[in-house]
Amino acid sequence: MKKIIGVFCAAVAILSVMSCSKKGQDAGNLVVYGSCEEEYLAAVCAKFEETTGVKTTYQRLSTGEVLTKIGEENGNPSADVWYGGTTDPYNEAASKGLLLPYDAKNAVHIVGPQFKDPDNNWYGIYRGILGFFWNTDEMKRLNLEPPKDWDDLIKPEYKGLISFSNPNTAGTGKLIVNTLVQLKGEKAAMEYFAKLDKNICQYTKSGSGPSKLVPTGEIVIGIGFLHDVVYQIVDNGYTNIGMTAPSSGTSYEIGATAIFKGCKNLDNAKKFIEFALSPECVNLAQENGSYQFLVLDNAKPVVAAVKAGLDKISTINYDFADAKANGQKYYSEFFEVIAADDRVKTK
């Protein structure tokens, strides 16, 4: 009798394992390209897998790298969704038909119409403010005053001290180009970039690159998102970084999420978008070193950003439509003017 009971229990156990295995297979897979910082991206993917049972893998790429990759894949993407990073590259992808519109239910929690694509190609999850930051030790050693506005950055005393991200690889770089065009006009902005290039020591691959190089003294002045500076202060303990928003005006990024057209795991991609627009997802940001302002009405306030005074900074009415329609032309002009300046410098 004991033997029969033992066989019965073993059979039940096998059926139970088979049932769990089948359930896991039914949950399926999801592949994420992430353009936010990796710590936050990893936490998001782990939480989504834990919540849904969907096996989730990710690759961290800059927005420019994602745009290039899905463009080359041309409707047969190796990932299902895009998470994080500025919307200018998302808009480029949408204009090329590389994103799949999706009417997300949780989008009702987005705090304003500017934080989503009007055709539902992408949805905003956070907002980050563009500004300047500098190594206070190096500025003191060089006997320099920190920059207060955009035109300060072209002063000759800053020669070789400044860094910002490459518009070819980073959405932050694209945002900087579009911001100066909107503040100064197209021609004046390109003249400005030709002058600024004389003071640039490095165009970094990622938007957060300068914030990582300033506190170590590898560069002296950076242009990028101020929440990345907050991370260096709060999480890495640096006390030698100053920061400000440009006095004549600055802009902001919208960090977004979207589904790739032609993705292999569409149902799970839709589940991910709903998850991405939930407090369970976005509240992970400040717990994992990302201090952007969240754009969902049911999310928690970002304490570190408020303590740093980022909530007091006013931004321009950034023209997303112009950036979407004309951004590629502006980026091409940017590279033309800095290439011309490089030719002069090599003589």
Side-chain angles (χ1 to χ4, degrees):
M1 185 67 179
K2 288 182 180 178
K3 186 175 181 180
I4 294 172
I5 293 172
V7 171
F8 175 77
C9 290
V12 170
I14 291 169
L15 287 171
S16 176
V17 169
M18 289 175 65
S19 174
C20 291
S21 177
K22 187 175 187 304
K23 183 179 179 182
Q25 288 172 358
D26 287 345
N29 303 295
L30 186 79
V31 181
V32 181
Y33 285 159
S35 300
C36 55
E37 290 303 299
E38 188 153 0
E39 182 182 352
Y40 177 29
L41 174 62
V44 166
C45 292
K47 186 68 174 178
F48 178 71
E49 181 170 319
E50 175 192 331
T51 303
T52 62
V54 174
K55 181 174 174 54
T56 306
T57 57
Y58 71 86
Q59 184 177 6
R60 201 282 170 191
L61 298 166
S62 69
T63 48
E65 290 174 316
V66 174
L67 184 61
T68 299
K69 191 170 178 62
I70 62 168
E72 291 171 349
E73 292 171 342
N74 194 24
N76 186 31
S78 52
D80 302 299
V81 294
W82 195 354
Y83 188 81
T86 60
T87 49
D88 288 335
Y90 280 75
N91 281 327
E92 284 188 64
S95 68
K96 294 174 181 177
L98 299 172
L99 302 182
L100 181 71
Y102 170 61
D103 187 11
K105 296 180 179 63
N106 281 344
V108 296
H109 292 289
I110 293 175
V111 296
Q114 70 272 35
F115 297 117
K116 64 179 286 295
D117 178 69
D119 298 316
N120 296 337
N121 285 294
W122 56 260
Y123 292 99
I125 47 179
Y126 59 75
R127 174 177 178 266
I129 298 171
L130 196 63
F132 313 144
F133 40 92
W134 54 89
N135 185 300
T136 55
D137 296 332
E138 285 298 298
M139 294 293 279
K140 184 177 180 180
R141 183 181 68 82
L142 295 167
N143 196 28
L144 293 174
E145 291 294 319
K148 296 178 180 178
D149 205 358
W150 293 104
D151 285 347
D152 291 340
L153 297 178
I154 60 176
K155 291 178 178 178
E157 55 262 41
Y158 291 154
K159 184 176 177 63
L161 302 182
I162 300 173
S163 177
F164 71 89
S165 56
N166 186 332
N168 264 346
T169 59
T172 310
K174 287 178 166 63
L175 180 67
I176 291 169
V177 171
N178 288 323
T179 297
L180 268 298
V181 167
Q182 293 182 26
L183 284 170
K184 293 177 173 291
E186 185 176 350
K187 183 181 177 185
M190 296 308 150
E191 292 171 351
Y192 172 84
F193 284 123
K195 295 174 183 175
L196 179 61
D197 184 63
K198 300 177 189 300
N199 290 348
I200 298 293
C201 63
Q202 183 180 352
Y203 293 102
T204 62
K205 178 181 174 182
S206 72
S208 62
S211 70
K212 298 170 183 175
L213 298 174
V214 162
T216 62
E218 294 173 72
I219 61 171
V220 179
I221 300 169
I223 310 171
F225 293 118
L226 298 182
H227 58 257
D228 289 329
V229 181
V230 174
Y231 172 79
Q232 295 299 333
I233 295 168
V234 174
D235 288 59
N236 288 339
Y238 285 108
T239 59
N240 62 340
I241 316 175
M243 63 177 171
T244 192
S247 60
S248 65
T250 192
S251 63
Y252 62 92
E253 69 162 338
I254 299 173
T257 189
I259 299 174
F260 294 125
K261 188 174 182 180
C263 70
K264 297 175 180 64
N265 300 292
L266 180 56
D267 287 343
N268 288 334
K270 292 177 179 178
K271 289 178 186 176
F272 182 86
I273 297 300
E274 298 295 351
F275 171 73
L277 298 176
S278 73
E280 289 75 21
C281 176
V282 297
N283 287 342
L284 293 169
Q286 60 184 313
E287 298 169 12
N288 291 276
S290 290
Y291 301 109
Q292 305 95 326
F293 290 106
L294 303 176
V295 298
L296 302 180
D297 61 17
N298 54 353
K300 293 178 183 176
V302 183
V303 177
V306 173
K307 282 186 177 179
L310 303 192
D311 60 324
K312 303 293 193 301
I313 297 172
S314 297
T315 56
I316 65 171
N317 185 19
Y318 185 76
D319 190 340
F320 288 94
D322 181 69
K324 183 177 183 178
N326 300 306
Q328 195 55 55
K329 177 166 71 83
Y330 301 151
Y331 315 143
S332 297
E333 290 175 359
F334 167 83
F335 284 110
E336 285 174 11
V337 299
I338 69 168
D341 186 55
D342 285 342
R343 286 195 292 273
V344 171
K345 288 193 287 188
T346 57
K347 288 182 180 178

